[in-house]
Amino acid sequence: MPFASCFRYEGQLDAERRPHGEGKIFVGEAVVYYGEFVHGSMTGVGFRRYQSGATYNGEFKDGLCEGKGVWMSADKRVILEGTFSNDCLEGSSCKETIGHVTCTGSFQGGKRHGFIVDNTMGKTTKWVHGYEAAIH
C-alpha cells in the first residue's frame, strides 16, 4: 500500500484500508518506523528512525513521542530517557546522558527544569526552562 508518494507501508489495515495494528513504513528500502498504528496514525508502541539518524523507541500518539521511551542521537552520544509529551522529554523521572555524563531529574518541554542530579559528579543543580539557576 502506498502511504504517501515517497513512503511505502506494509502491515495490517482497517476496513478503510488505513494502517491499523502492526506495520512498517519504508522510505526506499529503509524502515523508518515499525510498530503499532491506529486508524492510519502511528499510535502505540514503536521504533522510529529519523532522517538525521536519531532513533526513538517507545510510545507514540498521532506520530509524536508520547509516553515512556528512549530517544538517541545518531552518534549515540545523547540519550534521553523517560516520559515524553508532544515529542519533548517531560516530567520528574527523566534521564539525560551526554557523552559520559548522566543527569536525572525534571524536564519541562524538553528542557531541564527543577532539580537535576549529575550522577557522574554527585552534584545537584537547579534549572529553570533549560538554564541553570542559583540555589538560595
Side-chain angles (χ1 to χ4, degrees), residues 39-54:
H39 303 297
S41 175
M42 293 185 299
T43 296
V45 177
F47 174 86
R48 184 173 185 176
R49 182 174 309 282
Y50 296 87
Q51 190 172 4
S52 67

Side-chain angles (χ1 to χ4, degrees), residues 76-97:
K76 298 177 176 41
R77 288 187 46 78
V78 179
I79 301 170
L80 305 175
E81 185 176 353
T83 302
F84 287 77
S85 178
N86 201 30
D87 265 355
C88 294
L89 197 56
E90 188 79 30
S92 60
S93 299
C94 299
K95 184 163 81 171
E96 174 187 60
T97 302

Side-chain angles (χ1 to χ4, degrees), residues 33-44:
Y33 174 84
Y34 62 86
E36 298 174 337
F37 291 83
V38 175
H39 303 297
S41 175
M42 293 185 299
T43 296

Side-chain angles (χ1 to χ4, degrees), residues 2 7 13 48 55 58 77-78 86 88 100 115-118 120 124 133:
F7 297 101
L13 302 171
R48 184 173 185 176
T55 60
R77 288 187 46 78
V78 179
N86 201 30
C88 294
H100 299 290
F115 290 98
I116 302 290
V117 177
D118 179 333
T120 309
T124 300

Side-chain angles (χ1 to χ4, degrees), residues 56-67:
Y56 175 79
N57 189 10
E59 297 173 309
F60 289 85
K61 184 176 181 192
D62 295 327
L64 299 176
C65 305
E66 189 78 30

